[in-house]
Structures are given as C-alpha cells and as structure tokens.
Amino acid sequence: MYLQIEKKSSRSERLRSAICGLLSFSLLTAAFPPIGWSLLVFLAWIPFFVDIQRTRGRVFWPGFLLGEAFFGSALLYWITAMTTVGAASYVVWFGVSFLHVLFALPLGFFLRWLLRRGVSVFWAAPLPFAAQSFLREKVTNIAWHDPGYALADWTLCLQSAEWGGPQVLSLMGMFCSAGLAELWLAKNGAARWSKRGALICGGGLLLCLVALPAWGAWRIRDLEGQLKTGPLVAGIQPNVTLEERADPKISPYDLYSRRLDLTER
C-alpha cells in the first residue's frame, strides 16, 4: 500500500510531471536510430513511472501528453525529408504527430483510472501500453513507435518476438522499468511493500533480464545445431569497367561481345 498523498496538485508537481514525462520519452527516443542506445528501452520509463505511481495518477496529464507529443513527433520527423513541397511537409508531420497523441488519449484515461484505484504501476502500465501500440500499428499502420523495434540488435531477446511480435519486447522493457521504479519508491520510503509484492516484482525482473534471454540463447544454439554444412559455391558476375561503358568509341555490340566472352570464361 502506498502512503497517503494530498488531494490537490501544486504547480511544482505539475512541473515535475512534465519534466519526468519529457525525460522518459526523450530517453525512449534515444533508444532508436540515429542515436541507437537500445539499452534505454529497459530504463527509459523509470522517471515517468515513479512520478505517476507517487501521485497515483493525480498529476498525470502534463507528463503523459508532453512525453507522447515529443516521442511521436521526434520519430516522425523523417516525413519532412520525404518531399520537396516545403512547408507542406511540416504540415503533414504535425498532422501525423497530432494523430499519434490523439490515439494515445484512450490509453491515458485508462492508465490514470487504474492508478487512481490503487493499481500498482507494475500491473497498470506495461500491458495497456503494449496493447495501445498493437492497435495503433493495426489501425494506422504507424508501426515504428513500438519500443520493441529498438531491440532489433539484441539477438537473445529478439527470439521472444516469435510469441507476439515487437510488443513482447516492449513488455520486457516496460516491466523492467516498472519493477525498478517500484524498487526505487520502496527504497525511498514512498511505498511499503508486502513480501508477495516484492516476490512478484523480483520475479518479473528475473523473467525479463535472465529467463527470456537465456531461452533466446538456447533457441539460437538449437537452431544452429540443426543446420547442415553444404558445398561452398563461388558466384562470379562478369562485367566491364565503367570507363569502357562510357567510352563513345566502343559500340554497344562490342560491349555485349565482351560480356559474352567473360561469361564463357
């Protein structure tokens, strides 16, 4: 059970919510290329989760909306480079980013409703976030916001995506962040844990950080054991140099004859 908190939110609490939300979603953005710090998928959510758990969702919207707006627009900025129309590309970028935030609103209402009823962030946040990402991908075809895609170079974890796509990897990252956020709150006296809660959170962290990667290592080793070495084949593609092809003194017929001769060799 968490400690009692005041009913009214202050300006400093709203500012802290905005900072925590922007920090978490900025770190999540950094997990994607061109920065590509994919380890942040497991850590990025901690400031946001700590803040919304500490206030039980009472101070929620500043961090959630600002974070979603930054995250959506940052990963969609490539739209401005896809056209030479000028300002129109920025209008499209803003429109698609707005749709990203709009699509996240039902998640925000549901997550805040769970938190206000005392549900721990460890249970309240990861599953709704993953479900929202799945629905957004199916409805809008905007698929590259799922944090699981940032773990494409984590071969051991990637094997778990066979069970449910990138959302499984996203769940791994969010459960890890939520568990660490819960541990941080308990350590600093913002929460009192039961033994059952500690065991559940610790088990979730072990599952995300140990069990699933270990299963991925076993699966890769098993697949490698099924491969059979076949004959080695060297492929050679005959061609003429660029200088010869650009030489106006060499006719197309001569170039064709040259390629044919190289192929016969």
Side-chain angles (χ1 to χ4, degrees):
M1 173 174 282
Y2 290 87
L3 299 179
Q4 189 69 27
I5 54 177
E6 299 178 0
K7 292 184 178 180
K8 293 184 179 181
S9 61
S10 63
R11 180 178 300 178
S12 62
E13 286 180 319
R14 293 192 293 270
L15 178 61
R16 184 181 63 190
S17 172
I19 293 175
C20 288
L22 185 59
L23 175 60
S24 280
F25 284 92
S26 298
L27 293 174
L28 193 60
T29 303
F32 288 82
I35 299 178
W37 294 345
S38 53
L39 178 64
L40 291 175
V41 171
F42 298 95
L43 305 172
W45 303 91
I46 294 177
F48 179 65
F49 285 168
V50 166
D51 183 69
I52 62 176
Q53 181 65 85
R54 179 181 288 150
T55 63
R56 288 190 182 179
R58 179 174 50 86
V59 186
F60 176 82
W61 291 113
F64 181 79
L65 292 178
L66 185 61
E68 284 283 359
F70 178 84
F71 181 59
S73 59
L75 291 191
L76 290 168
Y77 187 74
W78 58 268
I79 292 177
T80 61
M82 296 298 291
T83 177
T84 57
V85 179
S89 61
Y90 291 92
V91 174
V92 174
W93 172 49
F94 176 81
V96 178
S97 301
F98 178 77
L99 287 177
H100 171 86
V101 177
L102 193 64
F103 200 86
L105 285 179
L107 165 68
F109 282 109
F110 181 64
L111 178 56
R112 185 173 183 269
W113 180 82
L114 291 175
L115 293 169
R116 296 287 285 173
R117 277 150 184 80
V119 180
S120 168
V121 71
F122 186 80
W123 299 111
L127 287 173
F129 264 106
Q132 182 247 7
S133 177
F134 175 79
L135 291 175
R136 180 179 58 220
E137 179 176 345
K138 297 301 180 182
V139 175
T140 67
N141 289 324
I142 300 178
W144 43 87
H145 285 88
D146 196 297
Y149 287 113
L151 296 175
D153 57 340
W154 288 59
T155 308
L156 299 182
C157 295
L158 195 61
Q159 308 308 309
S160 302
E162 181 183 8
W163 300 334
Q167 285 77 29
V168 174
L169 303 179
S170 299
L171 280 174
M172 291 173 59
M174 284 185 283
F175 272 124
C176 183
S177 287
L180 292 174
E182 295 272 16
L183 290 173
W184 172 264
L185 288 168
K187 179 179 181 296
N188 289 274
R192 290 194 295 267
W193 268 19
S194 64
K195 291 183 178 180
R196 180 182 177 185
L199 288 174
I200 291 175
C201 186
L205 290 176
L206 288 175
L207 178 65
C208 294
L209 300 178
V210 179
L212 291 179
W215 180 84
W218 174 85
R219 187 172 186 272
I220 292 175
R221 185 174 181 180
D222 181 64
L223 290 174
E224 290 176 346
Q226 299 178 26
L227 297 177
K228 296 181 179 180
T229 304
L232 297 178
V233 179
I236 301 176
Q237 180 180 357
N239 206 345
V240 295
T241 63
L242 183 62
E243 290 77 9
E244 290 178 300
R245 282 180 283 170
D247 191 347
K249 297 180 181 180
I250 303 178
S251 66
Y253 176 79
D254 293 335
L255 288 175
Y256 175 76
S257 300
R258 178 74 181 277
R259 287 196 181 98
L260 185 61
D261 179 61
L262 290 172
T263 302
E264 291 177 349
R265 295 184 186 181

